[in-house]
Short mmCIF file of all heavy atoms in Angstrom, two decimals:
data_model
loop_
_atom_site.label_atom_id
_atom_site.label_comp_id
_atom_site.label_asym_id
_atom_site.label_seq_id
_atom_site.Cartn_x
_atom_site.Cartn_y
_atom_site.Cartn_z
N PHE A 53 65.65 44.46 -49.64
CA PHE A 53 66.02 43.28 -48.87
C PHE A 53 64.98 42.17 -49.06
O PHE A 53 65.35 41.00 -49.25
CB PHE A 53 66.15 43.64 -47.38
CG PHE A 53 66.49 42.46 -46.52
CD1 PHE A 53 67.80 41.99 -46.48
CD2 PHE A 53 65.52 41.82 -45.77
CE1 PHE A 53 68.13 40.90 -45.69
CE2 PHE A 53 65.85 40.72 -44.98
CZ PHE A 53 67.15 40.26 -44.95
N LEU A 54 63.71 42.51 -49.02
CA LEU A 54 62.65 41.52 -49.19
C LEU A 54 62.72 40.88 -50.58
O LEU A 54 62.60 39.66 -50.71
CB LEU A 54 61.27 42.17 -48.98
CG LEU A 54 60.07 41.25 -49.12
CD1 LEU A 54 60.09 40.17 -48.04
CD2 LEU A 54 58.79 42.05 -49.05
N CYS A 55 62.95 41.68 -51.62
CA CYS A 55 63.07 41.13 -52.98
C CYS A 55 64.25 40.18 -53.08
O CYS A 55 64.13 39.09 -53.66
CB CYS A 55 63.22 42.26 -54.00
SG CYS A 55 61.73 43.21 -54.28
N MET A 56 65.39 40.59 -52.54
CA MET A 56 66.58 39.72 -52.59
C MET A 56 66.36 38.45 -51.79
O MET A 56 66.78 37.37 -52.22
CB MET A 56 67.80 40.48 -52.04
CG MET A 56 68.18 41.66 -52.85
SD MET A 56 68.69 41.15 -54.50
CE MET A 56 69.53 42.59 -55.03
N LEU A 57 65.70 38.56 -50.65
CA LEU A 57 65.41 37.38 -49.84
C LEU A 57 64.50 36.42 -50.61
O LEU A 57 64.75 35.21 -50.65
CB LEU A 57 64.77 37.80 -48.52
CG LEU A 57 64.39 36.66 -47.57
CD1 LEU A 57 65.65 35.96 -47.06
CD2 LEU A 57 63.57 37.19 -46.41
N LEU A 58 63.45 36.95 -51.23
CA LEU A 58 62.54 36.10 -52.00
C LEU A 58 63.24 35.46 -53.20
O LEU A 58 62.99 34.29 -53.52
CB LEU A 58 61.32 36.90 -52.46
CG LEU A 58 60.36 37.33 -51.34
CD1 LEU A 58 59.29 38.26 -51.88
CD2 LEU A 58 59.75 36.11 -50.66
N LEU A 59 64.13 36.20 -53.86
CA LEU A 59 64.89 35.62 -54.97
C LEU A 59 65.81 34.50 -54.48
O LEU A 59 65.95 33.46 -55.14
CB LEU A 59 65.74 36.69 -55.66
CG LEU A 59 65.01 37.57 -56.65
CD1 LEU A 59 65.89 38.73 -57.07
CD2 LEU A 59 64.60 36.76 -57.87
N THR A 60 66.43 34.70 -53.32
CA THR A 60 67.29 33.67 -52.75
C THR A 60 66.49 32.43 -52.39
O THR A 60 66.90 31.30 -52.69
CB THR A 60 68.01 34.21 -51.51
OG1 THR A 60 68.75 35.36 -51.88
CG2 THR A 60 68.94 33.17 -50.92
N ILE A 61 65.35 32.62 -51.76
CA ILE A 61 64.49 31.48 -51.41
C ILE A 61 64.04 30.74 -52.67
O ILE A 61 64.07 29.51 -52.73
CB ILE A 61 63.28 31.96 -50.57
CG1 ILE A 61 63.75 32.42 -49.20
CG2 ILE A 61 62.23 30.86 -50.43
CD1 ILE A 61 62.69 33.16 -48.39
N TYR A 62 63.65 31.50 -53.69
CA TYR A 62 63.23 30.89 -54.95
C TYR A 62 64.37 30.07 -55.57
O TYR A 62 64.17 28.94 -56.02
CB TYR A 62 62.75 31.96 -55.93
CG TYR A 62 62.38 31.41 -57.28
CD1 TYR A 62 61.18 30.73 -57.46
CD2 TYR A 62 63.23 31.56 -58.38
CE1 TYR A 62 60.84 30.21 -58.70
CE2 TYR A 62 62.89 31.05 -59.60
CZ TYR A 62 61.70 30.38 -59.76
OH TYR A 62 61.37 29.86 -60.98
N GLY A 63 65.57 30.64 -55.58
CA GLY A 63 66.72 29.93 -56.12
C GLY A 63 67.04 28.65 -55.36
O GLY A 63 67.34 27.62 -55.95
N ARG A 64 66.97 28.72 -54.04
CA ARG A 64 67.24 27.53 -53.22
C ARG A 64 66.17 26.47 -53.44
O ARG A 64 66.47 25.27 -53.50
CB ARG A 64 67.31 27.90 -51.74
CG ARG A 64 68.48 28.80 -51.41
CD ARG A 64 69.76 28.21 -51.84
NE ARG A 64 70.44 27.67 -50.70
CZ ARG A 64 71.52 26.95 -50.77
NH1 ARG A 64 72.04 26.65 -51.93
NH2 ARG A 64 72.08 26.49 -49.71
N MET A 65 64.91 26.89 -53.54
CA MET A 65 63.83 25.92 -53.80
C MET A 65 64.03 25.28 -55.17
O MET A 65 63.86 24.07 -55.32
CB MET A 65 62.47 26.62 -53.75
CG MET A 65 62.02 26.95 -52.34
SD MET A 65 60.51 27.94 -52.21
CE MET A 65 59.48 27.35 -53.50
N TYR A 66 64.42 26.07 -56.14
CA TYR A 66 64.68 25.56 -57.49
C TYR A 66 65.80 24.52 -57.45
O TYR A 66 65.69 23.45 -58.04
CB TYR A 66 65.06 26.72 -58.41
CG TYR A 66 65.33 26.31 -59.84
CD1 TYR A 66 64.29 26.28 -60.77
CD2 TYR A 66 66.60 25.97 -60.26
CE1 TYR A 66 64.53 25.92 -62.07
CE2 TYR A 66 66.85 25.60 -61.56
CZ TYR A 66 65.81 25.58 -62.47
OH TYR A 66 66.05 25.21 -63.76
N GLN A 67 66.88 24.83 -56.73
CA GLN A 67 67.99 23.90 -56.62
C GLN A 67 67.56 22.60 -55.95
O GLN A 67 67.98 21.52 -56.36
CB GLN A 67 69.14 24.52 -55.83
CG GLN A 67 69.98 25.47 -56.62
CD GLN A 67 71.10 26.06 -55.80
OE1 GLN A 67 70.87 26.57 -54.70
NE2 GLN A 67 72.29 26.00 -56.32
N ASN A 68 66.75 22.68 -54.92
CA ASN A 68 66.31 21.48 -54.22
C ASN A 68 65.36 20.63 -55.06
O ASN A 68 65.42 19.41 -55.03
CB ASN A 68 65.64 21.84 -52.89
CG ASN A 68 66.64 22.36 -51.88
OD1 ASN A 68 67.82 22.06 -51.95
ND2 ASN A 68 66.17 23.16 -50.95
N VAL A 69 64.47 21.27 -55.81
CA VAL A 69 63.50 20.53 -56.62
C VAL A 69 64.17 19.94 -57.86
O VAL A 69 64.02 18.76 -58.15
CB VAL A 69 62.32 21.44 -57.01
CG1 VAL A 69 61.43 20.76 -58.03
CG2 VAL A 69 61.52 21.82 -55.78
N ILE A 70 64.92 20.77 -58.58
CA ILE A 70 65.56 20.32 -59.83
C ILE A 70 66.82 19.52 -59.55
O ILE A 70 67.16 18.61 -60.29
CB ILE A 70 65.87 21.53 -60.74
CG1 ILE A 70 64.60 22.30 -61.07
CG2 ILE A 70 66.58 21.12 -62.00
CD1 ILE A 70 63.56 21.51 -61.81
N GLY A 71 67.52 19.89 -58.49
CA GLY A 71 68.76 19.20 -58.16
C GLY A 71 69.96 19.76 -58.89
O GLY A 71 71.05 19.25 -58.78
N GLY A 72 69.77 20.82 -59.65
CA GLY A 72 70.87 21.41 -60.40
C GLY A 72 71.23 22.78 -59.87
O GLY A 72 70.68 23.26 -58.89
N TYR A 73 72.17 23.40 -60.53
CA TYR A 73 72.65 24.71 -60.15
C TYR A 73 71.71 25.78 -60.68
O TYR A 73 71.30 25.75 -61.84
CB TYR A 73 74.07 24.90 -60.70
CG TYR A 73 74.66 26.25 -60.41
CD1 TYR A 73 74.98 26.63 -59.12
CD2 TYR A 73 74.92 27.14 -61.44
CE1 TYR A 73 75.53 27.86 -58.85
CE2 TYR A 73 75.48 28.38 -61.18
CZ TYR A 73 75.77 28.73 -59.89
OH TYR A 73 76.31 29.95 -59.63
N TYR A 74 71.33 26.74 -59.87
CA TYR A 74 70.42 27.82 -60.27
C TYR A 74 71.25 29.03 -60.69
O TYR A 74 71.99 29.59 -59.91
CB TYR A 74 69.49 28.19 -59.12
CG TYR A 74 68.49 29.25 -59.49
CD1 TYR A 74 67.45 28.97 -60.37
CD2 TYR A 74 68.57 30.52 -58.97
CE1 TYR A 74 66.52 29.93 -60.71
CE2 TYR A 74 67.65 31.49 -59.30
CZ TYR A 74 66.63 31.18 -60.18
OH TYR A 74 65.72 32.14 -60.52
N ASN A 75 71.13 29.44 -61.94
CA ASN A 75 71.89 30.55 -62.49
C ASN A 75 71.16 31.86 -62.20
O ASN A 75 70.33 32.30 -62.97
CB ASN A 75 72.08 30.34 -63.99
CG ASN A 75 72.92 31.43 -64.62
OD1 ASN A 75 73.39 32.33 -63.95
ND2 ASN A 75 73.10 31.33 -65.91
N VAL A 76 71.49 32.47 -61.09
CA VAL A 76 70.80 33.70 -60.68
C VAL A 76 71.03 34.82 -61.69
O VAL A 76 70.11 35.54 -62.05
CB VAL A 76 71.29 34.15 -59.28
CG1 VAL A 76 70.69 35.47 -58.89
CG2 VAL A 76 70.96 33.08 -58.25
N ALA A 77 72.25 34.97 -62.18
CA ALA A 77 72.54 36.07 -63.10
C ALA A 77 71.90 35.86 -64.47
O ALA A 77 71.51 36.82 -65.12
CB ALA A 77 74.05 36.21 -63.25
N GLY A 78 71.78 34.66 -64.93
CA GLY A 78 71.27 34.42 -66.28
C GLY A 78 69.80 34.15 -66.38
O GLY A 78 69.24 34.18 -67.46
N VAL A 79 69.13 33.91 -65.27
CA VAL A 79 67.74 33.49 -65.32
C VAL A 79 66.77 34.59 -64.94
O VAL A 79 65.64 34.59 -65.39
CB VAL A 79 67.54 32.27 -64.37
CG1 VAL A 79 66.10 31.86 -64.28
CG2 VAL A 79 68.38 31.11 -64.85
N ASN A 80 67.18 35.54 -64.15
CA ASN A 80 66.23 36.44 -63.51
C ASN A 80 66.03 37.80 -64.14
O ASN A 80 65.41 38.66 -63.53
CB ASN A 80 66.64 36.65 -62.04
CG ASN A 80 66.32 35.44 -61.22
OD1 ASN A 80 65.33 34.77 -61.45
ND2 ASN A 80 67.17 35.15 -60.27
N TYR A 81 66.51 38.06 -65.34
CA TYR A 81 66.34 39.38 -65.93
C TYR A 81 64.87 39.76 -66.08
O TYR A 81 64.52 40.91 -66.00
CB TYR A 81 66.99 39.46 -67.31
CG TYR A 81 68.49 39.44 -67.27
CD1 TYR A 81 69.20 38.41 -67.85
CD2 TYR A 81 69.19 40.47 -66.66
CE1 TYR A 81 70.57 38.41 -67.83
CE2 TYR A 81 70.57 40.47 -66.64
CZ TYR A 81 71.26 39.44 -67.23
OH TYR A 81 72.60 39.43 -67.21
N ASP A 82 64.02 38.79 -66.34
CA ASP A 82 62.62 39.10 -66.60
C ASP A 82 61.74 38.95 -65.36
O ASP A 82 60.53 38.97 -65.45
CB ASP A 82 62.09 38.21 -67.71
CG ASP A 82 62.21 36.74 -67.41
OD1 ASP A 82 62.85 36.38 -66.40
OD2 ASP A 82 61.67 35.93 -68.17
N CYS A 83 62.34 38.82 -64.21
CA CYS A 83 61.60 38.63 -62.96
C CYS A 83 61.21 39.98 -62.36
O CYS A 83 62.02 40.91 -62.31
CB CYS A 83 62.47 37.84 -61.98
SG CYS A 83 61.75 37.63 -60.37
N VAL A 84 59.99 40.10 -61.91
CA VAL A 84 59.51 41.34 -61.30
C VAL A 84 60.33 41.71 -60.06
O VAL A 84 60.61 42.89 -59.82
CB VAL A 84 58.01 41.23 -60.95
CG1 VAL A 84 57.52 42.46 -60.22
CG2 VAL A 84 57.19 40.99 -62.20
N LEU A 85 60.76 40.72 -59.31
CA LEU A 85 61.57 40.99 -58.12
C LEU A 85 62.90 41.65 -58.49
O LEU A 85 63.39 42.53 -57.77
CB LEU A 85 61.82 39.70 -57.34
CG LEU A 85 60.59 39.05 -56.71
CD1 LEU A 85 60.94 37.69 -56.14
CD2 LEU A 85 60.01 39.94 -55.64
N VAL A 86 63.49 41.24 -59.60
CA VAL A 86 64.74 41.86 -60.06
C VAL A 86 64.46 43.30 -60.52
O VAL A 86 65.24 44.21 -60.22
CB VAL A 86 65.39 41.03 -61.17
CG1 VAL A 86 66.58 41.74 -61.77
CG2 VAL A 86 65.80 39.67 -60.64
#
Side-chain angles (χ1 to χ4, degrees):
F53 179 78
L54 181 64
C55 288
M56 296 296 197
L57 180 67
L58 291 173
L59 280 170
T60 303
I61 291 169
Y62 177 76
R64 294 305 257 171
M65 286 173 37
Y66 181 90
Q67 281 180 309
N68 289 336
V69 170
I70 301 299
Y73 178 67
Y74 183 70
N75 183 1
V76 175
V79 175
N80 285 325
Y81 290 117
D82 58 352
C83 176
V84 175
L85 294 172
V86 173

